[in-house]
Amino acid sequence: MMTRLRQLSVRQWSLAGLAFCALMMGVALGLEHIAGLAPCPLCIFQRVAVLSAAAVFLVAAIHNPAGRLGAAAYGALSLAAVIGGIGVAWRHLWLQSLPPEQVPSCGPGLDYMMDVLPLRDVLSMVLSGSGECAEIDFLLAGISLPGWTLIGFVVLALAPLGLLFAALREGPREPRGAVVAKQD
């Protein structure tokens, strides 16, 4: 199994990461539109992290870079998006763990904040949390949605790490059809 994982190409790692991002977004949209669970601002930021990673994986899969630099660049960019998602999910879980008297009060909605505030202020307010982000609306096996999202991001991190390991393994590729002279 490990030998097979070591042999995966940049495109294969990218497609695996993209497929897992699609799965995560499918679950999120299903919970929103089928189960009726409205996303809070931190949930939306987690979705942005998933979509950011998906965008990097898509470009990497299409580009399928030759050599170490491209694989490393795509691995680093997608890992940055995943780490951002891990941070937001962790913050969300922390807010849910607070006693009710320590939960921040609910602020204005994300749409309103995006309309009237600079992006830096919106990010600061959302990450400081609000009462709606501390509510636990759904549990599966005793784990809240941000907990499952955190688990999803940890699993998703395998794809960028695979890209980075592929970068370590990859050497520069010869163009297709090139004749390589053997040296003695």
Side-chain angles (χ1 to χ4, degrees):
M1 173 79 168
M2 290 303 291
T3 304
R4 176 70 181 124
L5 288 176
R6 282 189 215 121
Q7 294 172 348
L8 291 178
S9 69
V10 171
R11 179 169 284 151
Q12 290 168 324
W13 278 114
S14 299
L15 289 173
L18 182 60
F20 198 77
C21 287
L23 174 68
M24 288 179 74
M25 284 306 300
V27 169
L29 293 172
L31 288 171
E32 178 181 357
H33 296 290
I34 296 170
L37 296 174
C40 72
L42 286 176
C43 293
I44 292 170
F45 276 31
Q46 290 167 59
R47 290 180 184 188
V48 169
V50 171
L51 292 173
S52 298
V56 174
F57 290 134
L58 177 63
V59 172
I62 292 169
H63 180 213
N64 194 27
R68 294 181 172 147
L69 184 59
Y74 289 125
L77 287 171
S78 56
L79 187 60
V82 171
I83 288 172
I86 287 172
V88 175
W90 194 276
R91 176 73 176 172
H92 200 165
L93 280 171
W94 177 78
L95 281 170
Q96 288 184 340
S97 72
L98 291 175
E101 63 274 1
Q102 292 181 3
V103 172
S105 62
C106 289
L110 184 60
D111 291 336
Y112 174 78
M113 289 190 290
M114 293 295 288
D115 287 341
V116 299
L117 297 173
L119 184 59
R120 182 178 176 186
D121 293 345
V122 172
L123 290 171
S124 175
M125 288 179 72
V126 169
L127 292 176
S128 65
S130 70
E132 67 179 312
C133 293
E135 293 176 16
I136 299 174
D137 295 328
F138 181 83
L139 290 173
L140 178 64
I143 301 173
S144 68
L145 286 177
W148 283 110
T149 306
L150 179 63
I151 292 168
F153 277 120
V154 169
V155 171
L156 181 60
L158 296 174
L161 292 174
L163 285 171
L164 291 170
F165 287 126
L168 293 173
R169 182 190 77 235
E170 288 274 326
R173 284 193 225 156
E174 295 299 325
R176 291 179 194 226
V179 177
V180 179
K182 227 179 188 180
Q183 294 180 358
D184 291 322

